[in-house]
Amino acid sequence: MNKLNKKEILSNIDRTRVNINIFDQIDSTNEESKRIKINSDIHIIIAEEQIKGKGRLGKKWSSPNLGNIYLTIATLKELNDAPLSLITGILCIEALKNFVTDGSLGLKWPNDLVFANKKVGGILIEREIKGNKNLSIIGIGINFDLQEKESWWGDLSKYELKSKRSKIINNIILNFIDFIDNGIYDWQSKWEDMCIHMNKEIKILRNNEITDTAIFKGINKEGKIKIFKNDEEKTIEFGEISIKGIYK
Ligand code: BTN
């Protein structure tokens, strides 16, 4: 397995705008971004292995040294109002599509990366106040090889992409730089086109209890879920909800 390669990761990237740290092992790339001084537009932290990888909703993110991507993009730049977690999902899928060209990748709300009805990647956005600025911490995990899996977890091993990790990370960073410089056009439609459960029945889980079953109708401009139920469309607040019934 090739190790992560700094030169390849930074290819075609303006080095005056980006700093990078690559670790063989770290607790969590997101945690590292909170400890360091950010003095470039974007600071990239990547690790071959995380021993305390963090997932959404306080869960653990399994992060063995098997050739997966554990990446954090940290920035103090003001980002536009669009929901960063959904935008990051789009930027990751767009990057991965350069390597997985058969149209099989998609998104599950809010930002799971999905292949063959299994979760193959996730995004954890955190924010910290640094002086008078907001630090946005964008953690991305993509699995190319996971030997111990929960039933709903998958990996992209079919595509043998371990040796292309540096190039994939490079594509994600390029997409992100384009986003902070130019924003993203028509992101709602882009997200909905990538969503694997548009117009499908979903179950809505609050505090570990299924509280609703409805048809998923997409997202509004804040990234909130639109559902159809009892002949009417309504929007659901973000809160601590998650969608069930998608993974097989
Ligand atoms: C999820 O639960 O879906 C989000 C998973 C996010 C995992 C990534 S791996 C790199 C970064 N560092 C972490 O500790 N977590 C994120």
Side-chain angles (χ1 to χ4, degrees):
M1 178 180 84
N2 300 6
K3 286 187 76 167
L4 294 161
N5 179 304
K6 187 169 176 173
K7 202 164 155 229
E8 221 179 325
I9 291 171
L10 292 178
S11 129
N12 295 322
I13 290 176
D14 177 354
R15 296 286 293 267
T16 62
R17 300 185 64 190
V18 179
N19 270 329
I20 182 164
N21 298 112
I22 303 178
F23 296 87
D24 281 336
Q25 189 189 67
I26 197 156
D27 52 354
S28 149
T29 54
N30 272 24
E31 287 307 306
E32 177 64 9
S33 77
K34 297 173 193 169
R35 295 187 285 254
I36 58 174
K37 192 165 171 51
I38 311 278
N39 48 20
S40 54
D41 281 2
I42 293 173
H43 202 115
I44 305 293
I45 300 139
I46 313 170
E48 297 282 358
E49 177 180 8
Q50 297 185 119
I51 47 177
K52 281 193 187 159
K54 301 186 337 173
R56 286 182 66 237
L57 309 176
K59 292 189 188 140
K60 173 177 176 279
W61 186 257
S62 172
S63 311
N65 184 352
L66 288 172
N68 301 316
I69 288 179
Y70 312 116
L71 158 72
T72 294
I73 302 173
T75 183
L76 289 165
K77 285 246 169 209
E78 278 305 320
L79 301 174
N80 71 22
D81 291 339
L84 192 52
S85 65
L86 302 190
I87 301 292
T88 306
I90 299 171
L91 302 179
C92 289
I93 293 287
E94 280 178 346
L96 282 166
K97 275 188 173 168
N98 297 327
F99 302 86
V100 176
T101 51
D102 59 13
S104 57
L105 290 170
L107 290 168
K108 169 183 174 285
W109 188 90
N111 51 20
D112 286 1
L113 312 180
V114 184
F115 163 68
N117 296 313
K118 306 271 184 209
K119 174 164 177 165
V120 295
I123 293 161
L124 176 65
I125 307 283
E126 299 184 83
R127 287 204 167 78
E128 285 223 331
I129 307 287
K130 295 270 177 189
N132 58 356
K133 292 195 171 159
N134 281 314
L135 175 65
S136 301
I137 301 165
I138 299 142
I140 301 166
I142 307 174
N143 289 326
F144 299 117
D145 185 357
L146 260 195
Q147 279 158 20
E148 286 170 36
K149 300 189 187 83
E150 301 283 344
S151 62
W152 65 92
W153 291 355
D155 63 32
L156 293 171
S157 49
K158 179 181 168 196
Y159 299 98
E160 297 184 354
L161 293 172
K162 285 185 190 186
S163 61
K164 303 206 173 117
R165 283 182 304 159
S166 300
K167 195 76 208 134
I168 294 170
I169 293 171
N170 168 266
N171 277 223
I172 294 173
I173 300 170
L174 283 170
N175 287 351
F176 193 79
I177 291 174
D178 185 42
F179 164 62
I180 59 172
D181 288 349
N182 305 310
I184 176 168
Y185 176 70
D186 206 7
W187 65 269
Q188 268 168 274
S189 310
K190 282 191 175 129
W191 190 92
E192 288 179 355
D193 287 346
M194 290 175 181
C195 173
I196 62 157
H197 49 78
M198 277 298 288
N199 297 314
K200 293 201 174 138
E201 188 175 275
I202 55 160
K203 294 179 176 35
I204 295 163
L205 197 85
R206 279 175 229 259
N207 305 322
N208 279 329
E209 256 181 63
I210 292 175
T211 53
D212 231 336
T213 299
I215 304 296
F216 185 89
K217 296 306 280 183
I219 49 174
N220 72 4
K221 62 181 188 323
E222 292 161 323
K224 290 175 187 165
I225 293 177
K226 291 189 291 188
I227 57 163
F228 191 72
K229 180 151 184 161
N230 302 334
D231 289 336
E232 60 168 333
E233 197 169 286
K234 63 175 182 174
T235 304
I236 303 201
E237 291 300 314
F238 253 100
E240 289 276 288
I241 66 164
S242 56
I243 293 181
K244 294 282 156 195
I246 304 299
Y247 293 132
K248 298 196 175 103

